[in-house]
Amino acid sequence: MKADRHARIVIIGAGAIGSAIAWHLAGQGESDVLVLEKAQVTHGSTWHAAGLVGQLRGKRALTRLMQNSVAVFDRLAGESGMATDWKKVGSLRLAASEARWSEIRRSVQLAKSFGFEAHLVSPDEAKAMFPHIDRKGIVGAAWIPSDGYIDPYAVTMAFAAGARKGGVRIEEGVTVTAIPVKGRRALGVVTDHGTVSADIVVNAAGYWARRVGAMAGVPVAAGVVEHQYFVTEKGLDVPDTLTTLRDPDHNFYLKPDVGGAWAIGGWEEGTRALWNQWAPFDFARELFPANMERLELFALPAAERLPVLNEIGIRTVINGPIPVSADGEPIMGLAPELDNFYLACGFTAGIAASGGAGGAMANWILSGDPGLDLWPFDARRFGAPHARASWLAARAVEAYAAYYKVHWPGEEHHAGRGLRRSPLHEPLKAACAVFGARFGWERPNWFTASDPSATDTPSFEGKPGWHPAVAAEVRAIRESVALIDQTSFSKFELCGPGAQAALNRIAAADVSGAPGRAIYTQFLNDRGGIEADVTIQHRGEEDFLIVTGSGFGVRDGNWITRALPEGLRLRDVTNALAVLNICGPRARDVLASVSDADLSNAGFPFLAAREIGVGHASAFAVRVGYVGELGWELYIPTEYAGHVYDTLKAAGAPHGLRDAGYRAIESCRLEKGYLYWSSDISPETTPAEAGLGFAVAMAKGDFTGRAALAAQGAPKRRLVSLAVDGFAPFLSGETVLHGGRPVASLTSAGYGHHLGKTIGFAYLPVEIAGGQGFTIEAFGKPYAATRGPRCLYDAKMERLKA
């Protein structure tokens, strides 16, 4: 690439996010930064944003990100020398339904587990804080004293001014037209004002991010839709200290505006997806005509809650484009396709997140670590199918409308369904499967045939509607035999000279030795944290099949690819192989009746892996599973999957074989103490802390993370199980108390149908991890919990190895 000039870091886009990244980079001493803005600083969605800053979210990572933003806003004006109009007046979030009250109480409980200040208040207290509300129907509210609102234009200009002070160059009126790529690197950018080479390129282009990503061959699942809010006439008698207000059950938010006015917006159904998700570059500081029909969808409910709105008029309607990702969450981090191209886009609440997101991105760029676990926002949670315009538009519209809806435990998306289907989809549908979706795959969550009285009804504090059906499926797994379609597993082949040596450097376990076995292992980062949790099947001398979770394929495949030496290539074979798990104490009887293989314990021991016949087809059988019972995972070429399924169903009928779904898997894995990456283990946890030392081969030689593990010494915390007899409403994130003091939060939790216990995992300080006297707090109620070993079911592995 022939360049006119060079910058170490080029940031595309000078909205709130791009400017904040530049400010944080400058604050860490990185001055060779060039920000390119096709129009002017704040143009795009920044300038017309409402500017509310709310920290309390349903996800821990997002709450922490917003907390970091508030910490930045507290000091930004002083450090930049520019006013930001930051009003830290707090926020009030109303609950006008029992379901919303449960959701709010859960969020406040989650916040308590990591020291974030949030309070539950009564309807009368809410009325005292915001006198204009009609308290009819209010069940309660949350009060967050450190929330507020900020001027979007001013805060972005302050970020830009501070960045310039640190040596950052911001150039306006410069449009990026191409991003040349060689191998796995972006070489820089081509603009309408010349060519700039760069070591690192950052896509912070707001609702143009998908278009900018495509220039570099990077699919970006960031869509663009219309969002409206209105500003009332001036003259309301309100104090300067009036708090912001959210009433999600009436689908509106409110912030005070100048002159005694209010800005009120909402998240209505049926917003318009724009430009086929390909925003034009010549659109800048522009708005759309008001859509009064859609405006009424939140304006009329707002008037019910705030009767004074019936007495004042609307002064202005703001209707502009905003970015919304395929799941409504930001998209951050290193793009999996390239080694130096970062994404910071898809921010629906970009103003509120800017301070924290800018800091996380600066950390990511400079040190490879954002400073907190941001997997819920990681760019690698999406793949190319999620960036296709029609699918993205449907999901973005749904995510937009869901912004203020109650987010139930175990909820499923409805838009864009049916994208990827197992070859067993129709037989499972005929067997009365209730499907969920993961990474575009349709997967059976549970089966109505398991209990016709069951319903697909979620719950916060009670048993969900599928509870009895899942109980029946768990019973089949524990007492007889079950079939589970796990085709959605992400699967990769690594074959060729040097494959074994390469995997031994990447994986913590020892993958050397003879073929014919499965190896459970983790991939570690240089700090010894767990980046992936996988099973490696050693099929041939230099032939390996690597299997990971359905939603982790892009992430884990990318991790392996970056670590491979020249000449080795990872091949994604997810779509080529169906996976059927046959499990339960009668699994051997059923499988042996339709196979000529020796399936005895001596002939096919635990973790063995080899090709066998099943009916008239063949399958690669691995004696392993995620439910903790005798069983085999069968990897079957997709064209034979239907035959194998039908064969096993017929053979299993005399043994009471039942189809089972992923909700049953979750119950069984909690009983067995099997961990789930992204909740129980993550880049912030080590194998020793998680009780996974058995999967680490320190003596095998060097591997990624080994030096860090050797230097860490004894862990300061340990993962244990905490159990309550009977059903308790644990959903993960609940606070664990010891001696009345918070000591941890549950990493995952759920009901163990076989044991009849509610089970949660938590990392406890080692000085108390061996004791008792723990209490788990959920929805304001304490539950006495018994601390036990991580594995509560078949701890000696007798059933698993039978």
Side-chain angles (χ1 to χ4, degrees):
M1 175 182 171
K2 185 177 180 181
D4 302 319
R5 51 193 174 130
H6 177 82
R8 186 171 124 71
I9 301 171
V10 169
I11 300 172
I12 304 170
I17 298 296
S19 298
I21 296 170
W23 181 75
H24 279 283
L25 287 170
Q28 295 191 40
E30 187 63 55
S31 60
D32 190 8
V33 178
L34 174 63
V35 182
L36 299 177
E37 167 54 51
K38 69 178 185 61
Q40 292 179 287
V41 175
T42 78
H43 285 201
S45 56
T46 294
W47 72 275
H48 62 75
L52 270 82
V53 178
Q55 301 164 86
L56 185 63
R57 307 295 171 120
K59 293 180 179 176
R60 178 188 180 109
L62 191 52
T63 299
R64 290 182 65 190
L65 199 72
M66 297 301 187
Q67 272 186 283
N68 292 346
S69 274
V70 166
V72 168
F73 298 157
D74 286 343
R75 70 178 199 271
L76 179 59
E79 293 185 11
S80 68
M82 294 190 67
T84 60
D85 201 22
W86 168 224
K87 307 291 188 185
K88 202 171 185 178
V89 294
S91 73
L92 196 62
R93 180 179 290 261
L94 306 180
S97 65
E98 291 297 336
R100 182 74 63 185
W101 186 226
S102 293
E103 182 184 49
I104 285 178
R105 286 157 56 222
R106 170 166 164 71
S107 295
V108 170
Q109 179 66 57
L110 184 69
K112 179 180 177 180
S113 72
F114 55 91
F116 176 66
E117 185 182 2
H119 306 278
L120 296 174
V121 299
S122 69
D124 287 339
E125 290 171 314
K127 173 77 172 175
M129 291 178 182
F130 204 104
H132 295 88
I133 63 175
D134 179 349
R135 62 183 301 282
K136 181 181 178 182
I138 298 176
V139 182
W143 162 246
I144 301 94
S146 57
D147 280 356
Y149 58 97
I150 198 165
D151 182 273
Y153 178 87
V155 71
T156 305
M157 285 303 200
F159 280 133
R164 287 188 176 108
K165 279 186 177 181
V168 172
R169 290 166 290 153
I170 300 177
E171 297 183 5
E172 299 173 303
V174 179
T175 301
V176 174
T177 58
I179 302 175
V181 170
K182 183 177 181 181
R184 290 186 52 84
R185 295 188 68 81
L187 301 180
V189 296
V190 177
T191 81
D192 57 358
H193 283 65
T195 306
V196 186
S197 62
D199 300 327
I200 293 167
V201 178
V202 182
N203 179 357
Y207 52 78
W208 293 279
R210 180 171 176 265
R211 188 167 179 175
V212 169
M215 294 178 188
V218 173
V220 178
V224 54
V225 302
E226 281 187 13
H227 176 61
Q228 295 188 116
Y229 66 92
F230 64 89
V231 181
T232 68
E233 293 175 340
K234 298 180 180 181
L236 285 166
D237 183 18
V238 295
D240 292 340
T241 57
L242 182 69
T243 181
T244 61
L245 179 71
R246 293 169 179 82
D247 186 344
D249 288 310
H250 284 71
N251 199 21
F252 78 91
Y253 60 77
L254 177 154
K255 74 156 191 172
D257 205 71
V258 295
W262 286 335
I264 298 174
W267 306 93
E268 75 281 4
E269 294 278 358
T271 189
R272 188 164 64 111
L274 297 169
W275 300 306
N276 196 31
Q277 307 304 294
W278 198 255
F281 282 151
D282 59 0
F283 191 94
R285 193 179 171 91
E286 299 174 60
L287 295 172
F288 303 117
N291 185 315
M292 301 307 292
E293 189 174 321
R294 287 209 326 268
L295 193 78
E296 288 182 349
L297 296 177
F298 61 86
L300 295 180
E304 290 179 6
R305 178 64 66 211
L306 302 162
V308 71
L309 290 180
N310 295 304
E311 303 169 15
I312 59 175
I314 294 176
R315 177 161 53 97
T316 308
V317 175
I318 307 295
N319 184 17
I322 63 168
V324 180
S325 77
D327 62 5
E329 303 290 6
I331 301 173
M332 301 173 64
L334 192 58
E337 294 80 9
L338 300 174
D339 292 334
N340 67 334
F341 188 80
Y342 287 84
L343 301 176
C345 51
F347 286 86
T348 303
I351 304 302
S354 59
M361 287 302 304
N363 292 337
W364 225 328
I365 292 164
L366 297 180
S367 64
D369 177 14
L372 66 164
D373 180 11
L374 290 182
W375 167 244
F377 315 137
D378 196 302
R380 294 168 292 179
R381 75 188 188 275
F382 292 128
H386 304 120
R388 291 181 186 135
S390 61
W391 190 91
L392 177 58
R395 284 293 291 270
V397 168
E398 181 187 58
Y400 173 92
Y403 204 79
Y404 272 177
K405 288 182 179 177
V406 172
H407 293 288
W408 294 95
E411 69 178 354
E412 294 282 351
H413 294 288
H414 300 289
R417 292 293 296 269
L419 181 63
R420 304 176 79 180
R421 302 181 187 187
S422 157
L424 303 176
H425 181 82
E426 290 305 317
L428 293 171
K429 184 178 177 181
C432 304
V434 178
F435 291 98
R438 181 63 60 91
F439 208 76
W441 285 98
E442 294 292 314
R443 315 190 310 178
N445 280 338
W446 61 281
F447 291 79
T448 56
S450 299
D451 190 314
S453 69
T455 62
D456 202 34
T457 309
S459 176
F460 281 106
E461 301 186 55
K463 295 177 181 177
W466 53 77
H467 190 88
V470 174
E473 293 168 23
V474 169
R475 191 158 52 248
I477 292 169
R478 293 286 187 240
E479 298 177 7
S480 54
V481 59
L483 269 182
I484 308 174
D485 177 23
Q486 295 181 302
T487 298
S488 65
F489 276 164
S490 296
K491 304 171 282 283
F492 300 92
E493 283 184 350
L494 187 66
C495 306
Q500 182 170 283
L503 276 180
N504 241 355
R505 288 191 297 273
I506 298 169
D510 190 351
V511 302
S512 62
R517 69 183 182 116
I519 304 108
Y520 170 63
T521 187
Q522 290 77 45
F523 301 154
L524 308 181
N525 56 39
D526 290 334
R527 304 180 310 279
I530 300 171
E531 292 285 348
D533 186 64
V534 304
T535 301
I536 298 175
Q537 299 166 13
H538 194 174
R539 299 186 302 189
E541 195 61 39
E542 291 279 12
D543 180 359
F544 297 87
L545 183 70
I546 303 158
V547 182
T548 187
S550 309
F552 306 140
V554 172
R555 188 185 201 285
D556 296 354
N558 177 250
W559 185 268
I560 298 168
T561 297
R562 292 180 190 277
L564 289 178
E566 195 72 30
L568 276 176
R569 179 175 170 269
L570 192 69
R571 179 168 172 253
D572 189 338
V573 294
T574 299
N575 300 338
L577 295 171
V579 182
L580 260 179
N581 182 8
I582 182 168
C583 53
R586 307 304 297 273
R588 179 180 285 117
D589 299 333
V590 174
L591 187 57
S593 70
V594 294
S595 177
D596 55 3
D598 179 3
L599 300 178
S600 67
N601 202 37
F604 208 124
F606 181 60
L607 294 180
R610 65 183 67 121
E611 198 83 18
I612 66 169
V614 183
H616 305 312
S618 64
F620 190 75
V622 186
R623 194 171 158 192
V624 72
Y626 200 44
V627 295
E629 292 290 345
L630 169 69
W632 283 263
E633 287 177 358
L634 305 175
Y635 292 78
I636 313 156
T638 53
E639 64 268 33
Y640 299 118
H643 168 75
V644 172
Y645 175 80
D646 290 344
T647 300
L648 292 173
K649 282 289 290 266
H655 300 275
L657 182 145
R658 184 181 293 280
D659 289 298
Y662 273 80
R663 300 207 190 281
I665 293 175
E666 177 68 5
S667 178
C668 291
R669 75 98 183 170
L670 287 167
E671 293 182 332
K672 186 61 181 170
Y674 288 158
L675 305 183
Y676 186 69
W677 190 89
S678 78
S679 57
D680 306 311
I681 49 179
S682 74
E684 296 182 326
T685 56
T686 66
E689 293 172 329
L692 295 174
F694 67 90
V696 178
M698 292 293 286
K700 71 170 180 174
D702 194 30
F703 59 90
T704 303
R706 186 188 185 283
L709 296 185
Q712 281 170 356
K716 296 180 180 179
R717 59 177 185 164
R718 183 156 56 91
L719 188 68
V720 303
S721 70
L722 293 164
V724 174
D725 289 336
F727 178 84
F730 298 166
L731 303 168
S732 84
E734 289 78 14
T735 304
V736 180
L737 302 124
H738 188 259
R741 181 174 61 90
V743 293
S745 58
L746 298 185
T747 57
S748 60
Y751 187 67
H753 285 270
H754 178 75
L755 296 179
K757 299 176 184 289
T758 302
I759 302 164
F761 300 145
Y763 285 92
L764 297 178
V766 291
E767 57 269 21
I768 61 172
Q772 295 293 346
F774 296 97
T775 300
I776 299 172
E777 196 173 283
F779 298 103
K781 180 181 176 181
Y783 295 82
T786 302
R787 192 273 311 156
R790 202 184 76 212
C791 180
L792 296 174
Y793 176 77
D794 188 29
K796 295 182 179 179
M797 310 274 277
E798 293 169 340
R799 294 174 67 89
L800 193 64
K801 296 182 178 181

